[in-house]
């Protein structure tokens, strides 16, 4: 099974990986239908696990391959530099988007919207918050699924 997947078309691999992550997210989020209340400690553990998964995915799928490509390109001891610059520019980009885009976090009142003042409806502000959150994940999925020459 793993050999078949490893030798499959990269677009099919990306599609199957996306469907798998969608399914796992759906199953995980479906737990809300079984619990009315959740212990804060359990929620903190779940958030910590999710953060660890995202950090691992970022490193192993983006930063490590970037450093490896820089070594192959002859950067020598400075092979970390392109990955560092990309990481910092990406972080500054997200901070800038967060700063200039009005958005609303779940559970907050419309008066607590972040970013510039706006008259957009609360649903639009929440949509913008989710979109800002998903920018790195979409980039990660696209960068991993693009075939290497």
């Amino acid at each position: 099974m793993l050999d078949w997947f490893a030798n499959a078309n990269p677009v099919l691999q990306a599609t199957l990986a996306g469907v798998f992550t969608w399914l796992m997210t759906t199953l995980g989020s479906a737990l809300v239908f079984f619990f009315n209340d959740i212990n804060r400690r359990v929620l903190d553990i779940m958030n910590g696990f999710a953060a660890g998964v995202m950090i691992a995915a970022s490193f192993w799928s983006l930063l490590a391959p970037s450093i490896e490509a820089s070594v192959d390109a002859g950067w020598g001891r400075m092979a970390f530099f392109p990955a560092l610059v990309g990481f910092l520019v990406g972080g500054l980009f997200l901070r800038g988007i967060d700063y200039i885009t009005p958005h609303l976090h779940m559970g907050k009142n419309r008066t607590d919207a972040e970013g510039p003042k706006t008259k957009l409806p609360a649903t639009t502000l929440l949509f913008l918050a989710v979109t800002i959150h998903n920018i790195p994940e979409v980039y990660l999925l696209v960068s991993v699924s693009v075939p290497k020459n």
Side-chain angles (χ1 to χ4, degrees):
M1 177 80 170
L2 290 177
D3 289 333
W4 172 84
F5 186 77
N7 295 322
N9 182 312
V11 174
L12 178 62
Q13 288 176 334
T15 302
L16 292 175
V19 168
F20 175 76
T21 56
W22 170 82
L23 181 62
M24 293 297 106
T25 302
T26 302
L27 290 174
S29 62
L31 292 175
V32 301
F33 296 115
F34 301 106
F35 301 101
N36 290 332
D37 194 21
I38 189 164
N39 184 321
R40 180 67 186 184
R41 182 177 218 149
V42 172
L43 185 60
D44 289 343
I45 290 169
M46 291 166 51
N47 281 332
F49 178 77
V53 167
M54 289 307 297
I55 290 171
S58 297
F59 180 77
W60 295 113
S61 295
L62 295 174
L63 295 175
S66 172
I67 293 169
E68 186 177 312
S70 296
V71 168
D72 294 344
W75 281 77
R77 292 179 52 167
M78 294 297 290
F80 70 92
F81 191 71
L84 175 66
V85 170
F87 182 82
L88 293 175
V89 168
L92 290 172
F93 171 77
L94 287 176
R95 179 64 182 115
I97 291 293
D98 184 63
Y99 182 75
I100 66 171
T101 306
H103 57 280
L104 184 64
H105 295 270
M106 290 188 69
K108 300 285 185 173
N109 293 327
R110 192 179 179 307
T111 56
D112 297 330
E114 294 181 10
K117 299 295 180 201
T118 183
K119 294 183 180 186
L120 292 172
T123 54
T124 302
L125 296 175
L126 184 58
F127 173 80
L128 288 171
V130 171
T131 301
I132 291 169
H133 167 83
N134 285 327
I135 290 172
E137 292 155 356
V138 170
Y139 177 77
L140 178 64
L141 181 62
V142 169
S143 65
V144 171
S145 64
V146 172
K148 307 295 187 271
N149 291 333

